[in-house]
Amino acid sequence: MAYLNENYLKLQAGYLFPEVARRVREFCEAHPEGAKRLIRCGIGDVTEPLPTAAIEAMKRAIDELGHRESFRGYGPEQGYEFLRSTIAQRDYRDRNIDIADDEIFISDGSKNDCGYILDILGAQNKVAVPDPVYPVYVDTNVMAGHTGPARKDGSYEGIYYLPCKAENNFVPEPPNERLDLVYLCFPNNPTGAVASRAQLTRWVDYAHEHDALLLFDAAYEAYISDPEIPHSIFEIPGALACAIELRSFSKNGGFTGVRCGFTVMPKSVLARTHDGRRLPLHPLWQRRWSTKSNSVAYPGQRGAEALYSAEGRKQVHALIDHYMGNAKVLRDAAGDAGLEAFGGVNAPYIWVKTPDGLTSWEMFDRMLRELNVVITPGAGFGAQGEGYFRISAFNSRENAEEVARRFKTLQ
Ligand SMILES: *Cc1c(COP(=O)(O)O)cnc(C)c1O
C-alpha cells in the first residue's frame, strides 16, 4: 500500500469557515424569519461584476482562439510577455522600481503562489507568520513538512508567531531572534492594518542583518488611499535583495473566479545551500514553472492586461471606491454602536474588538441572533484574533447600509 503525506494529518480540521457555515445553517433552520433577513459580511470574496474592459478583452481573446489564423496553444510557462512587461512597467518601473519583465511570473493566483513558492525553499527554514494570519501561509508550511504538530490553541510547533495587537497597531516589529523566512501581508487580511515606510524599512533592515527572506503579500495594495503608505515592498531601499512580492488581480479587478496573479522574483534575491553557497532563487523559480506548469489561460491573461488600460484603470478605481465606501459605512456604524473598530481605511476589512469581553464566537452568535448578520470570528485567524471579529466590505451598498442600520439596534 502506498504511503500518504502524514503532514496533512497535522492540519487542524478546516475549522473556521465550515464552523461558520454550520452555525448559520442551524440558525436559519431554527429561525426562518431571521434567515430571510440574513446578510453575509463574512467571506473575503468580491461581489461586484468584472470591469467591462476585462470582459471585452477576454471575449476578444476567446474569439482569437476560435480561428485557425489566430489560434494559440500552450503559452510561455512563466506567462505571456505582453502581460509580464505591462506589469513590470506599470506597477514597478513607472514608480521607479527597477523590475525587469522576466522577474514577473504570472500565476493562477496568490493563494496558489503561497503554496508553490515552498517548492524552491528548504525545509530547515525558521518560518515566521503574523498572528492573526491568512491561514494559507501556515497550512502550506504544515503540508510541506516544515512544522511540528499543532498545539491545543491551534498554533504549530516550529512556527514563529509575530503577535499583531492593538498595542502595535497590528504591525509586528522584527524580533531579536534569527528567522529565515518571514511572511508579511499589507494591507492586512484580516486586520485591515497597513505598514508605514518606517515599519517596512525596519523589516528590510532586519532581513539584511539576519540574512532573512521576506515574503510580502500585497494582494490589497489597490485599496491604499494614504499616499504615505508603500504599495510594494520594493519601494523600500534594499528590498530587491531580500524580498519576494505576491500580487493578485482578485481584489482589484475582481478576478477571484477568473484566476490570475503574479510573483515578483528579483534576480538579486539569494538563498543558501547546506554547504554555504549563496545562490539566486530566480533560476529555481523559472525552472519550477517550466516543469510543473503551463501557465494560466490566455483569455485570463488578456483580461488582466486590460485592467491596465485607461478604461480598465478607471473601472478598477470605481470598484475599489465602491468597496471602500462600504468600509466607511460599516466602520462608522461599528464606532457609533460603541465598538472599537480598526482597519477599513486602506483595506476592505474592519477589525472590531468584541464588547463586554465576549469571545469571538460568542460575538459571532450574537451578531447572527440579534442582527442576522454573519461576520468572521477573529479567533479563526489565530490565537491573537480572540476577542475580535472581522467585517468584510465586499458587498452591495444596500447591504452595507442595512448592516449599519442594524448596528444601531445592537443591545
Ligand atoms: C484574497 C487574498 C489573496 C488573493 O488570492 P488569489 O488566490 O489571488 O485569489 C492573497 N492573499 C490574501 C491575504 C488574500 O486575502
Side-chain angles (χ1 to χ4, degrees), residues 44 108-114 134 137 185 187-189 217 219-220 247-251 255-256 259-261 349 390:
D108 47 343
S110 288
K111 185 183 193 181
N112 314 51
D113 277 325
C114 287
Y134 180 54
Y137 310 150
C185 174
N188 189 264
N189 177 10
D217 184 341
Y220 296 95
R247 289 232 195 155
S248 168
F249 298 106
S250 285
K251 311 293 164 44
F255 271 35
T256 53
R259 310 305 305 146
C260 194
Y349 298 116
R390 189 190 75 174

Side-chain angles (χ1 to χ4, degrees), residues 144 270 317 379 404:
L270 308 180
H317 277 145

Side-chain angles (χ1 to χ4, degrees), residues 3-319:
Y3 293 98
L4 54 76
N5 179 351
E6 293 193 29
N7 295 314
Y8 278 61
L9 307 182
K10 296 181 202 163
L11 292 166
Q12 300 292 85
Y15 178 66
L16 177 60
F17 289 105
E19 179 63 15
V20 166
R22 190 189 67 76
R23 291 191 191 207
V24 171
R25 203 168 46 240
E26 271 186 12
F27 172 81
C28 289
E29 279 162 12
H31 307 275
E33 283 312 304
K36 277 189 220 141
R37 297 177 78 233
L38 198 73
I39 298 180
R40 294 175 195 272
C41 291
I43 306 166
D45 194 358
V46 296
T47 55
E48 303 307 297
L50 291 174
T52 49
I55 293 168
E56 283 160 14
M58 286 194 279
K59 282 184 179 164
R60 280 195 301 275
I62 289 170
D63 284 339
E64 280 179 58
L65 299 182
H67 298 280
R68 178 174 296 278
E69 308 74 53
S70 51
F71 172 77
R72 297 183 188 231
Y74 289 129
E77 290 101 341
Q78 290 76 17
Y80 277 104
E81 185 57 31
F82 65 77
L83 183 55
R84 300 175 85 187
S85 66
T86 300
I87 292 168
Q89 184 66 45
R90 306 295 292 277
D91 282 338
Y92 297 98
R93 292 196 294 265
D94 283 355
R95 297 174 180 200
N96 295 317
I97 301 167
D98 188 18
I99 294 291
D101 298 352
D102 66 354
E103 291 174 318
I104 305 291
F105 291 76
I106 308 303
S107 76
D108 47 343
S110 288
K111 185 183 193 181
N112 314 51
D113 277 325
C114 287
Y116 301 156
I117 197 74
L118 297 182
D119 279 1
I120 64 163
L121 296 170
Q124 328 67 337
N125 286 323
K126 187 157 184 195
V127 176
V129 298
D131 178 9
V133 66
Y134 180 54
V136 180
Y137 310 150
V138 175
D139 288 358
T140 49
N141 274 286
V142 175
M143 291 170 169
H146 297 176
T147 75
R151 301 188 190 95
K152 275 213 178 65
D153 67 357
S155 67
Y156 288 89
E157 284 174 23
I159 288 197
Y160 189 95
Y161 291 87
L162 301 160
C164 304
K165 322 188 211 199
E167 296 88 80
N168 60 9
N169 285 314
F170 306 99
V171 180
E173 287 294 321
N176 292 320
E177 258 173 88
R178 189 185 65 78
L179 302 166
D180 297 309
L181 182 61
V182 180
Y183 289 80
L184 295 174
C185 174
F186 294 109
N188 189 264
N189 177 10
T191 66
V194 284
S196 69
R197 194 168 299 274
Q199 287 166 321
L200 292 178
T201 299
R202 287 198 284 281
W203 273 109
V204 168
D205 292 348
Y206 169 89
H208 280 276
E209 195 175 319
H210 296 267
D211 251 340
L213 176 62
L214 307 179
L215 268 185
F216 191 77
D217 184 341
Y220 296 95
E221 64 79 29
Y223 290 83
I224 294 172
S225 57
D226 181 343
E228 296 300 314
I229 300 294
H231 287 241
S232 165
I233 188 70
F234 301 124
E235 290 179 45
I236 309 301
L240 283 169
C242 67
I244 299 168
E245 184 158 287
L246 294 92
R247 289 232 195 155
S248 168
F249 298 106
S250 285
K251 311 293 164 44
N252 60 356
F255 271 35
T256 53
V258 177
R259 310 305 305 146
C260 194
F262 60 93
T263 56
V264 187
M265 174 69 79
K267 294 185 190 109
S268 41
V269 168
L270 308 180
R272 64 183 150 172
T273 63
H274 250 125
D275 57 9
R277 285 174 295 155
R278 302 165 63 84
L279 300 176
L281 284 170
H282 187 277
L284 277 65
W285 195 224
Q286 174 85 14
R287 182 58 195 259
R288 186 257 162 228
W289 281 96
S290 299
T291 298
K292 289 201 176 183
S293 174
N294 280 311
S295 193
V296 189
Y298 172 64
Q301 294 192 59
R302 281 293 184 200
E305 180 192 31
L307 298 177
Y308 291 88
S309 69
E311 278 306 299
R313 291 216 148 188
K314 240 189 277 167
Q315 292 160 4
V316 167
H317 277 145
L319 273 178

